[in-house]
Amino acid sequence: MDASKRKFLQYGFLSSSVFLFDGCSLFGVTTPYKTIEVLQKDLVPKIVELNIKTISYMHLVFRHKKISKSDKEFLKNGVKWLNEEAIKKYKREYIKLPAHQRQNILTEIADTKWGEDFLYDIMSYTFEAMLGDPIYSGNNNQAGWKWLEFSGGLPRPKKVYI
C-alpha cells in the first residue's frame, strides 16, 4: 500500500462509519467521533467549561504509530457496543439520549469487563488531552494547566510526536 493510501486510512479511521444494530436489523449508522465527544463531556464535564479540545487530541491518538491497531479497534468497537446498549434500552443512539439516560447507560456498562476497560481508556485519553502539552491540540491555551495551577515542564516540545 502506498503512503497516500495509508495516510487516508489513518485519517479516516474515526470518521468511518459504525453500523448499529437492534437485534438482527440495522438501526443506524454513526461515527466514533460523535459518540466519543459526547462521552468525554459526560465523563469529565470540566472539559466543556475549560474549552478542552478532546476530539482534536483524539485525531492524534488515532494517528499515533505507538498506539496499536487493536487498541484503536477496541475504541471503535466500544463506541459500537455503547450505542447498541443505548438502543437496546432506550431505542435511541447514545448521543441522542438525554443526560440522565446516558448516565444510566454508563453505569450499566461500567459493570461489564468491556465497559470498564472502554471507559478507562476514554478517561485516560480525556485527561491526556486536558493535561498534556498544548502542542498536542487538547489543552487549549493551557486551560487544563491553569485550572490545576501547573506550569508545564521545560523545554516544551517544538513539534508533535506521532
Side-chain angles (χ1 to χ4, degrees):
M1 180 181 304
D2 71 1
S4 62
K5 285 182 185 174
R6 259 193 315 278
K7 191 166 288 280
F8 172 77
L9 291 173
Q10 286 174 335
Y11 285 106
F13 179 82
L14 275 178
S15 61
S16 63
S17 297
V18 174
F19 295 94
L20 307 173
F21 292 90
D22 181 13
C24 295
S25 59
L26 181 65
F27 183 87
V29 180
T30 190
T31 65
Y33 267 132
K34 292 177 187 177
T35 302
I36 288 174
E37 183 173 32
V38 172
L39 176 57
Q40 288 176 313
K41 290 174 182 175
D42 286 345
L43 293 171
V44 187
K46 192 73 172 175
I47 65 174
V48 176
E49 179 186 329
L50 296 175
N51 195 28
I52 303 296
K53 306 295 185 194
T54 54
I55 289 302
S56 296
Y57 183 76
M58 292 305 290
H59 276 286
L60 295 175
V61 167
F62 281 95
R63 289 193 334 243
H64 203 291
K65 59 187 169 229
K66 297 283 184 178
I67 298 172
S68 72
K69 184 177 179 180
S70 64
D71 286 347
K72 294 171 189 175
E73 193 64 29
F74 177 71
L75 288 173
K76 186 174 178 182
N77 284 333
V79 165
K80 179 180 185 289
W81 299 329
L82 173 66
N83 276 291
E84 287 176 347
E85 289 298 318
I87 291 165
K88 189 184 327 175
K89 185 164 182 153
Y90 296 112
K91 303 293 183 212
R92 296 173 75 190
E93 294 173 42
Y94 179 80
I95 64 171
K96 294 180 180 175
L97 296 174
H100 72 278
Q101 289 179 343
R102 291 195 310 266
Q103 287 302 316
N104 289 342
I105 294 295
L106 295 179
T107 299
E108 288 179 19
I109 70 163
D111 288 336
T112 68
K113 177 66 174 137
W114 76 264
E116 180 182 17
D117 291 346
F118 175 64
L119 294 175
Y120 178 86
D121 287 353
I122 294 294
M123 290 286 292
S124 295
Y125 291 124
T126 303
F127 282 113
E128 284 179 18
M130 188 174 180
L131 303 174
D133 193 281
I135 198 168
Y136 292 101
S137 304
N139 189 3
N140 192 29
N141 295 320
Q142 301 179 10
W145 291 355
K146 290 173 186 172
W147 174 58
L148 290 177
E149 298 178 9
F150 172 79
S151 296
L154 297 174
R156 293 199 26 219
K158 296 199 183 328
K159 67 178 192 163
V160 175
Y161 171 73
I162 58 171

